[in-house]
Amino acid sequence: MVGWIKLNAGITTELLLTLFSLEGVLHYGIAGNANPNLQIGDVTIPEYWAHSGLWNWQRFGSGPNNPLALESNGDFTREIGYLRFANYSITPSSDNLLNNVWYQPEEIFTVDGSPEVREHIFKVPVDSRYLEVAKMVEKQGVTLERCVNSSLCLPRPPAAATVAVGVSAGVFVDNRAYREFLSAKFNATAIDMESAAVALVCHQQRTPFIAIRALSDLAGGGSAVSNEADAFAPLAAENAVRVLLSFIAALSSLITRQKLETGAAAKQCRNGAGYGAKL
């Protein structure tokens, strides 16, 4: 139980890694959906997680060619891009007092980095071996729940899918325009409030990590399925657990196979057949 939103999720993950000797972190739950090719009930496993709630809010009158406050110190950057509020006016408008917000990378200090030398990261990758297992689960398929009850079912059976990017911020997104912006700007599918914090702590501590997030709503997108989260959150949570269990089984099989292969190679070396070989 990571708690509500990124701060609690980060603290809980840090405590988990501090108090226990862990092989890795498997994080799971529900999320909003920014990908029109997927539906409620599908379970996503992103390859990267980004914090989409760290902004530099630019003053009115400044634009893309004007440096941000503290940019010269290396604290902020214009490299990731921005959201211009004037682009979302109902009636044509040349400007908006809210101006622009510029997305920023996180500042971290890794356990194996140079002391007091910060690094910046926006998209945190999940563990490569865990991602390999996730793709195995996706290929094998998992039977997922389709119906909340006899009168409320999804248009098609849900499925598990590896996707490019998930994003997290301290915001519950139920807005079509912003959902479409996140999809277009960052190629985002899952939108949640915790996973990027878990990813950042695991990245900082060099601990293998992956997140499994079932889609409980369309983040304001609208579809043939009425919106959404109140009705479908329990179904999505159930599907997230089913994929998690399939992932654990596949990971266990992979580890067992690798141990057997290593043991066989070691036996060959002891028998002289593989002298000089590297295990």
Side-chain angles (χ1 to χ4, degrees), residues 8-22 201:
N8 285 335
I11 291 172
T12 304
T13 306
E14 189 70 57
L15 286 171
L16 186 71
L17 298 182
T18 300
L19 297 175
F20 299 94
S21 177
L22 300 185
V201 173

Side-chain angles (χ1 to χ4, degrees), residues 209-233:
F209 157 85
I210 200 164
I212 296 168
R213 285 285 186 168
L215 305 176
S216 62
D217 60 273
L218 297 169
S223 75
V225 181
S226 61
N227 203 8
E228 284 139 7
D230 288 343
F232 288 99

Side-chain angles (χ1 to χ4, degrees), residues 11-260:
I11 291 172
T12 304
T13 306
E14 189 70 57
L15 286 171
L16 186 71
L17 298 182
T18 300
L19 297 175
F20 299 94
S21 177
L22 300 185
E23 294 285 340
V25 174
L26 312 180
H27 180 60
Y28 68 101
I30 62 176
N33 176 32
N35 186 338
N37 296 319
L38 298 180
Q39 69 164 23
I40 290 173
D42 287 340
V43 180
T44 64
I45 309 174
E47 297 184 30
Y48 294 88
W49 281 93
H51 178 194
S52 59
L54 181 55
W55 295 352
N56 185 310
W57 207 315
Q58 197 172 31
R59 69 175 61 188
F60 180 71
S62 296
N65 296 324
N66 299 109
L68 304 175
L70 302 180
E71 181 179 343
S72 61
N73 297 333
D75 295 328
F76 296 104
T77 179
R78 285 172 286 162
E79 292 181 0
I80 296 172
Y82 66 102
L83 167 66
R84 181 173 182 263
F85 284 94
N87 291 344
Y88 294 90
S89 299
I90 296 176
T91 56
S93 172
S94 61
D95 225 331
N96 187 298
L97 290 174
L98 292 175
N99 203 24
N100 308 316
V101 292
W102 292 82
Y103 290 84
Q104 301 299 319
E106 290 277 2
E107 178 183 271
I108 62 171
F109 299 85
T110 57
V111 292
D112 54 1
S114 300
E116 299 186 30
V117 177
R118 62 184 177 178
E119 300 177 21
H120 289 94
I121 187 168
F122 182 66
K123 294 195 300 183
V124 181
V126 302
D127 180 72
S128 59
R129 184 172 68 157
Y130 287 178
L131 182 61
E132 176 187 349
V133 174
K135 291 181 178 179
M136 291 168 50
V137 171
E138 178 184 22
K139 185 176 181 180
Q140 293 167 357
V142 182
T143 300
L144 300 176
E145 190 63 58
R146 181 177 181 180
C147 297
V148 175
N149 51 49
S150 59
S151 61
L152 183 57
C153 292
L154 296 164
R156 63 161 173 80
T162 54
V163 297
V165 179
V167 295
S168 304
V171 179
F172 186 93
V173 177
D174 192 24
N175 181 277
R176 181 169 186 163
Y178 192 58
R179 151 219 166 115
E180 291 176 348
F181 171 84
L182 291 173
S183 176
K185 186 69 176 179
F186 303 122
N187 196 21
T189 293
I191 306 173
D192 76 2
M193 304 162 85
E194 295 88 17
S195 294
V198 181
L200 278 163
V201 173
C202 290
H203 179 76
Q204 181 188 47
Q205 299 293 333
R206 301 304 193 209
T207 301
F209 157 85
I210 200 164
I212 296 168
R213 285 285 186 168
L215 305 176
S216 62
D217 60 273
L218 297 169
S223 75
V225 181
S226 61
N227 203 8
E228 284 139 7
D230 288 343
F232 288 99
L235 179 147
E238 168 70 20
N239 286 348
V241 172
R242 291 189 184 189
V243 173
L244 172 71
L245 295 176
S246 295
F247 181 94
I248 292 171
L251 178 62
S252 178
S253 296
L254 177 64
I255 292 172
T256 300
R257 185 169 69 250
Q258 290 175 340
K259 286 182 178 179
L260 291 173

